[in-house]
């Protein structure tokens, strides 16, 4: 989970901080994704895309075939370990099917700028899943054949974070101005959820379920309808 300028792995209710890749430019990641095989990726403007090697506790750059390092958001395929997506603003959406060795432009992306996005294996796609993009207008959605980008419901505003439940992929979550929103039907309709603090980040942990980062730096796991408990280091 990327919380501000810190990256955490959440396993069995325990937080482990992971040192971020060091670059000459000092660029910081703005996007994080976990691959279908558990691999951790980060991306950001001036940083490009990097993969974490947990065995060697080191980072590998995956930028050799990207047009530049202006990656503002990235996602990993829900079920295909080697398939990654990167959004480079005006350069559009790029996909790699070999773990980042080769990137190919596949789409221009939604009409509005993308701040974050994810890949979901929610049923109903004509290919292998769906892409949900957090944009400056709301949540945009497309099958991963890149057939068409359309609004995911009528949620409006700048979406700063987006996530979904891998065990029930029709459950999608989005953050607008610190407010957490939930869709139980793949983005068709949305409701607001109560949280103790303004939300700045969100992720799903196999052991904790939905975890949010808050404005005061806390990480909280959702235990029930309005119940949130701290995730301990």
């Amino acid at each position: 989970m990327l919380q501000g300028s810190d990256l955490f792995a959440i396993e069995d209710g325990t937080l482990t901080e992971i040192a971020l890749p060091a670059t000459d430019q000092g660029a910081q990641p703005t996007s994080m994704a976990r691959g279908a095989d558990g691999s951790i990726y980060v991306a950001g403007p001036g940083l490009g895309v990097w993969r974490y090697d947990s065995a060697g506790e080191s980072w590998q750059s995956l930028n050799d075939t990207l047009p530049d390092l202006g990656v503002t958001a990235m996602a990993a395929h829900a079920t295909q370990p080697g398939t990654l997506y990167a959004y480079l603003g005006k350069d559009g959406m790029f996909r790699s099917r070999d773990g980042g060795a080769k990137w190919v432009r596949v789409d221009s992306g939604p009409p509005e700028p993308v701040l974050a996005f994810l890949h979901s294996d929610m049923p109903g796609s004509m290919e292998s899943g769906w892409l949900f993009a957090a944009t400056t207008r709301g949540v945009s959605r497309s099958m991963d054949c890149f057939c068409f980008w359309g609004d995911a419901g009528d949620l409006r505003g700048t979406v700063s974070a987006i996530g979904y439940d891998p065990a029930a992929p029709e459950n999608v979550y989005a953050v607008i101005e610190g407010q957490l929103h939930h869709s139980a039907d793949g983005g068709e309709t949305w409701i607001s959820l109560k949280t103790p603090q303004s939300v700045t980040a969100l992720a799903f942990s196999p052991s904790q379920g939905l975890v949010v980062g808050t404005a005061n730096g806390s990480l909280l796991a959702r235990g029930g309808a309005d119940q949130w408990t701290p995730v301990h280091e």
Side-chain angles (χ1 to χ4, degrees):
M1 180 177 188
L2 190 62
Q3 166 75 327
S5 59
D6 297 317
L7 179 65
F8 297 96
I10 306 172
E11 302 291 346
D12 299 323
T14 301
L15 285 178
T16 303
E17 186 169 0
I18 299 174
L20 293 170
T23 65
D24 294 338
Q25 299 82 8
Q28 294 293 314
T30 57
S31 183
M32 174 263 177
R34 184 181 286 270
D37 60 355
S39 296
I40 294 174
Y41 302 87
V42 296
L47 187 70
V49 179
W50 292 67
R51 179 176 59 228
Y52 182 63
D53 176 6
S54 57
E57 296 185 350
S58 61
W59 290 91
Q60 177 188 2
S61 169
L62 305 177
N63 299 316
D64 287 349
T65 61
L66 283 173
D68 58 58
L69 301 180
V71 181
T72 60
M74 73 158 299
H77 195 285
T79 59
Q80 298 174 9
T83 301
L84 307 172
Y85 303 89
Y87 176 75
L88 282 81
K90 61 181 176 59
D91 290 324
M93 291 265 185
F94 286 73
R95 179 175 61 199
S96 172
R97 294 189 183 275
D98 54 11
K102 181 180 180 181
W103 294 93
V104 176
R105 188 183 186 277
V106 289
D107 192 63
S108 59
E112 297 79 24
V114 174
L115 306 180
F117 71 113
L118 62 84
H119 183 276
S120 161
D121 59 347
M122 184 177 74
S125 172
M126 291 191 295
E127 197 161 312
S128 63
W130 297 80
L131 291 163
F132 287 82
T135 79
T136 54
R137 183 174 182 268
V139 178
S140 190
R141 178 181 61 193
S142 172
M143 298 180 193
D144 57 8
C145 55
F146 296 98
C147 311
F148 172 75
W149 286 96
D151 292 338
D154 58 0
L155 191 65
R156 292 291 174 266
T158 297
V159 181
S160 57
I162 191 165
Y164 85 110
D165 184 349
E170 66 278 5
N171 286 278
V172 185
Y173 298 82
V175 178
I176 296 178
E177 295 183 353
Q179 174 65 58
L180 180 63
H181 302 269
H182 172 222
S183 173
D185 52 14
E188 293 297 319
T189 59
W190 297 85
I191 61 171
S192 298
L193 299 180
K194 292 182 179 179
T195 56
Q197 300 283 336
S198 177
V199 176
T200 58
L202 59 86
F204 265 84
S205 161
S207 58
Q208 300 288 107
L210 176 63
V211 177
V212 300
T214 67
N216 67 358
S218 299
L219 296 182
L220 304 174
R222 191 183 187 205
D226 293 320
Q227 299 176 348
W228 297 88
T229 57
V231 179
H232 298 290
E233 296 190 49

